[in-house]
């Protein structure tokens, strides 16, 4: 048998069947298209909903692609921050942040290795550092000199302070301390004050016993001028135990032996000069009197003690002339 002949017949016999099949397929496709145009596809049910908010539409239209992620992160951070503040952990959180950054700076070579403090007399070095907020975790890089200065000046003993940072690790602190000037008694409380009237501390130490005592409202700010005037009359100053500010207008003196001297409101210097002269010449402060009133400008009065008043009264009785017999 001729193989080539069989192949030719096979091709010729399959040609019409393939054409018929293709035509049938095409007819089916056309029929489906025509039927599809005429038949209506049932519409899917639409869910009723409120129209989208206009602001939301604008945000969806103009918001960058990654802005949503950023906003989400910001919201989370804001929620965390609100929780920290609301829970009362803000100070602890900020302290942790400060310690962390100081630790990084210290590891980079900015640790405070040398501290020089000049001008201190009353406060110790540890007290100055504690007041300024400088500790072993502090780094020179992140140390705020203005904050340290403000903290130091908030202490009543420190009148002024200067902070100098010398990189990489030296800190210099220069302070001007106030000095204890007097003891001030007000409403039963005794305090140590400076010459400008600042209360330095409650009176608890015996080392301040030699300070002059001023008493009364307003005496703290008026003491410097009055005590400076009193120093000009050492005869009176040495005998004075306390200066009492009366009515925020004038001064009384309480001497060590209990004698009260009521000074005038004006011309106090002349009154003190007169007291000094009388004590030098007549030993006025040693006499048996309890009070001297110098408030009147043209004279002063003396109040005797009870015993002295009785003795004086008896003396005058003895000096009275006796009546003669027959006198009416």
């Amino acid at each position: 048998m001729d193989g080539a002949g069989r192949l030719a017949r096979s091709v010729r016999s399959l040609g019409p069947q393939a054409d018929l099949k293709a035509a049938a397929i095409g007819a089916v496709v056309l029929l489906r298209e025509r039927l599809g145009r005429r038949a209506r596809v049932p519409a899917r049910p639409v869910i009723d909903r409120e129209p989208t908010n206009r602001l939301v539409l604008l945000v969806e239209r103009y918001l960058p692609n990654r802005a949503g992620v950023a906003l989400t992160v910001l919201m989370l951070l804001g929620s965390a921050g609100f929780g920290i503040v609301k829970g009362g952990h803000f100070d602890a959180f900020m302290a942790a942040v400060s310690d962390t950054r100081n630790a990084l700076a210290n590891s980079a070579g900015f640790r405070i290795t040398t501290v020089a403090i000049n001008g201190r007399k009353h406060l110790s070095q540890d007290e100055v550092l504690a007041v300024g907020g400088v500790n072993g975790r502090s780094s020179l890089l992140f140390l705020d000199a203005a904050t340290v200065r403000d903290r130091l000046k908030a202490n009543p003993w420190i009148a002024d302070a200067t902070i100098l940072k010398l990189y990489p690790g030296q800190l210099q602190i220069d302070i001007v301390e106030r000095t204890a000037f007097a003891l001030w008694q007000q409403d039963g409380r005794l305090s140590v004050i400076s010459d400008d009237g600042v209360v330095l501390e409650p009176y608890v130490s015996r080392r301040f016993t030699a300070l002059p005592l001023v008493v009364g409202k307003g005496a703290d700010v008026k003491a410097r001028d009055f005590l400076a005037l009193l120093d000009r009359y050492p005869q009176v100053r040495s005998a004075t135990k306390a200066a009492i500010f009366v009515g925020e207008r004038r001064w009384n003196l309480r001497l060590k032996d209990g004698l009260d001297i009521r000074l005038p409101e004006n011309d106090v210097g002349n009154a003190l000069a007169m007291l000094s002269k009388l004590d030098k010449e007549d030993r006025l402060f040693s006499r048996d009197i309890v009070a001297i009133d110098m408030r009147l400008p043209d004279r002063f009065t003396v109040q005797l003690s009870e015993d002295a008043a009785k003795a004086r009264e008896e003396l005058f009785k003895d000096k009275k002339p006796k009546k003669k017999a027959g006198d009416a």
Side-chain angles (χ1 to χ4, degrees):
M1 296 178 62
D2 188 359
R6 286 197 299 272
L7 179 59
R9 288 196 296 271
S10 298
V11 171
R12 284 195 298 270
S13 63
L14 292 176
Q17 294 177 2
D19 293 339
L20 289 173
K21 188 176 182 180
I25 293 173
V28 172
V29 172
L30 291 174
L31 182 61
R32 286 182 178 178
E33 289 181 355
R34 288 183 180 182
L35 292 175
R37 290 177 183 176
R38 292 179 182 179
R40 293 183 178 179
V41 180
R44 296 181 180 178
V46 179
I47 300 176
D48 293 336
R49 62 179 180 179
E50 296 181 359
T52 307
N53 188 287
R54 192 172 182 181
L55 179 61
V56 175
L57 291 175
L58 291 175
V59 171
E60 291 177 349
R61 182 174 180 182
Y62 295 105
L63 199 64
N65 294 335
R66 299 184 182 276
V69 177
L71 287 177
T72 302
V73 173
L74 289 176
M75 289 179 63
L76 291 174
L77 291 176
S79 300
F82 178 78
I84 291 173
V85 174
K86 192 70 175 178
H89 307 297
F90 181 76
D91 292 339
F93 174 76
M94 293 304 298
V97 172
S98 178
D99 289 344
T100 301
R101 69 175 186 175
N102 281 329
L104 293 174
N106 289 337
S107 62
F110 294 100
R111 183 182 299 277
I112 299 176
T113 57
T114 305
V115 178
I117 302 177
N118 302 316
R120 63 178 183 85
K121 297 177 181 178
H122 174 79
L123 299 174
S124 66
Q125 177 170 318
D126 291 339
E127 288 174 327
V128 172
L129 294 177
V131 171
V134 181
N135 52 46
R137 299 185 302 273
S138 302
S139 67
L140 196 66
L141 182 63
F142 291 112
L143 186 71
D144 189 343
T147 300
V148 175
R149 181 174 183 269
D150 291 341
R151 288 176 177 174
L152 289 174
K153 290 185 65 177
N155 185 282
W157 280 100
I158 300 177
D160 199 3
T162 302
I163 313 300
L164 186 60
K165 297 164 61 174
L166 303 174
Y167 289 99
Q170 184 176 352
L171 178 64
Q172 180 175 322
I173 301 176
D174 299 323
I175 63 175
V176 178
E177 281 193 356
R178 292 184 173 93
T179 57
F181 175 71
L183 297 178
W184 175 45
Q185 182 178 331
Q186 168 71 8
D187 296 331
R189 296 189 301 269
L190 199 60
S191 305
V192 182
I193 62 173
S194 62
D195 59 354
D196 55 354
V198 175
V199 176
L200 301 178
E201 62 180 51
Y203 174 67
V204 293
S205 177
R206 291 183 176 274
R207 60 191 173 124
F208 298 121
T209 54
L211 294 176
L213 174 63
V214 294
V215 182
K217 184 179 180 181
D220 52 336
V221 295
K222 296 291 186 179
R224 176 170 57 185
D225 294 338
F226 178 74
L227 293 179
L229 178 62
L230 191 60
D231 283 338
R232 295 167 55 183
Y233 306 96
Q235 188 81 12
V236 181
R237 175 65 184 266
S238 61
T240 299
K241 178 181 180 181
I244 304 168
F245 201 42
V246 181
E248 299 185 61
R249 296 183 299 104
R250 64 175 191 84
W251 292 89
N252 285 350
L253 296 179
R254 172 68 59 83
L255 301 190
K256 295 176 181 178
D257 60 359
L259 175 62
D260 285 326
I261 302 175
R262 304 181 183 105
L263 296 173
E265 184 175 350
N266 301 312
D267 204 10
V268 182
N270 285 339
L272 293 175
M274 182 182 295
L275 286 173
S276 181
K277 179 180 179 181
L278 289 173
D279 187 59
K280 286 180 180 179
E281 295 177 354
D282 301 326
R283 300 181 63 83
L284 177 66
F285 299 157
S286 302
R287 294 182 178 272
D288 197 3
I289 56 179
V290 296
I292 301 174
D293 193 343
M294 308 183 72
R295 290 176 292 178
L296 297 177
D298 55 344
R299 63 184 182 276
F300 71 90
T301 59
V302 175
Q303 180 182 350
L304 298 175
S305 66
E306 187 176 352
D307 293 339
K310 288 181 179 180
R312 187 172 184 276
E313 185 178 354
E314 294 294 333
L315 179 63
F316 275 97
K317 284 182 179 180
D318 294 340
K319 288 185 178 182
K320 286 182 179 180
K322 297 181 179 180
K323 294 181 180 180
K324 296 181 180 178
D327 292 341

